[in-house]
Amino acid sequence: MKVNEIKLCYKERVSISKCPKISCSKDAANIYYKNWDKNEIQLQESFKVMLLNNSNIVKGICQISSGGLTATLVDMRILFALILKSLSTAIIVCHNHPSGKLQASEADRRLTNKIKKACDFLDIKLLDHLIVTSDGSYMSFADEGLI
C-alpha cells in the first residue's frame, strides 16, 4: 500500500556563521522589520515566528498566519509543528498592529501565555513576543515583564 511522503525542507541560503545573533529585543525587532513586506505591514495583521538555535542565532523566520485589520488566527498546531520540525531550541514570535498602537490587547496576552505554556512543556525557550508597526516601532513583552 502506498502513502504520501511528508517532508520538511530547510534550505540554507546563508551560512549559519553569517546569520545574525539575537542579544536583545531591538535586534529581533530590527530583523523582523527589515524582513516585513512594507506594502502589507499597515494593511493587515500577520503573525510570524523567528526560529533560533541554542546560541540564539537566527535559523529563519516563517509567517504562521495572515488575518484581517485587527486580528489574525494563530493555530498552535501549525506553529509548533514548524518549531519542532526545524529543531529550534528558542523562538521569538511577532505580530504587527496595522493601527500603529503599541499596546498588547488581552487577546495578545492570552496567546502569549498559551505559547509560553506549550514552550515550557516542550523545553523550548520563548524569548519574546514583539508587536511591530509600520514605522519600525516595537513593543516587547519580555522588556515589559509580560513573559
Side-chain angles (χ1 to χ4, degrees):
M1 176 185 295
K2 292 186 177 187
V3 295
N4 294 322
E5 177 182 357
I6 298 173
K7 178 177 165 182
L8 175 72
C9 182
Y10 175 80
K11 293 184 180 179
E12 187 177 279
R13 294 183 186 168
V14 179
S15 169
I16 200 75
S17 64
K18 294 181 180 171
C19 290
K21 180 175 180 159
I22 303 298
S23 59
C24 63
S25 62
K26 186 173 184 173
D27 292 346
N30 286 338
I31 292 168
Y32 267 122
Y33 184 72
K34 287 178 185 173
N35 287 279
W36 214 292
D37 183 339
K38 303 307 180 283
N39 294 320
E40 293 181 8
I41 196 166
Q42 65 183 15
L43 181 62
Q44 68 187 100
E45 197 166 302
S46 298
F47 186 92
K48 301 182 182 200
V49 60
M50 182 180 291
L51 305 161
L52 305 164
N53 71 11
N54 207 37
S55 298
N56 291 345
I57 294 174
V58 179
K59 296 169 81 173
I61 295 173
C62 185
Q63 183 166 311
I64 300 299
S65 67
S66 183
L69 299 175
T70 59
T72 188
L73 177 67
V74 176
D75 189 318
M76 297 289 283
R77 295 162 293 195
I78 292 172
L79 174 63
F80 280 92
L82 177 70
I83 296 165
L84 292 169
K85 288 179 182 177
S86 68
L87 302 177
S88 297
T89 57
I91 61 168
I92 298 172
V93 296
C94 181
H95 74 282
N96 63 314
H97 276 180
S99 67
K101 292 172 73 175
L102 286 175
Q103 296 172 332
S105 68
E106 186 56 37
D108 295 338
R109 292 171 191 251
R110 281 193 308 269
L111 176 62
T112 304
N113 288 334
K114 190 174 180 181
I115 294 169
K116 175 82 169 106
K117 285 179 185 176
C119 281
D120 289 346
F121 181 75
L122 296 167
D123 292 326
I124 296 164
K125 293 177 273 187
L126 173 61
L127 300 178
D128 210 341
H129 182 170
L130 302 172
I131 298 172
V132 297
T133 60
S134 62
D135 66 358
S137 299
Y138 73 95
M139 178 265 198
S140 160
F141 278 63
D143 292 352
E144 297 293 323
L146 301 173
I147 292 183

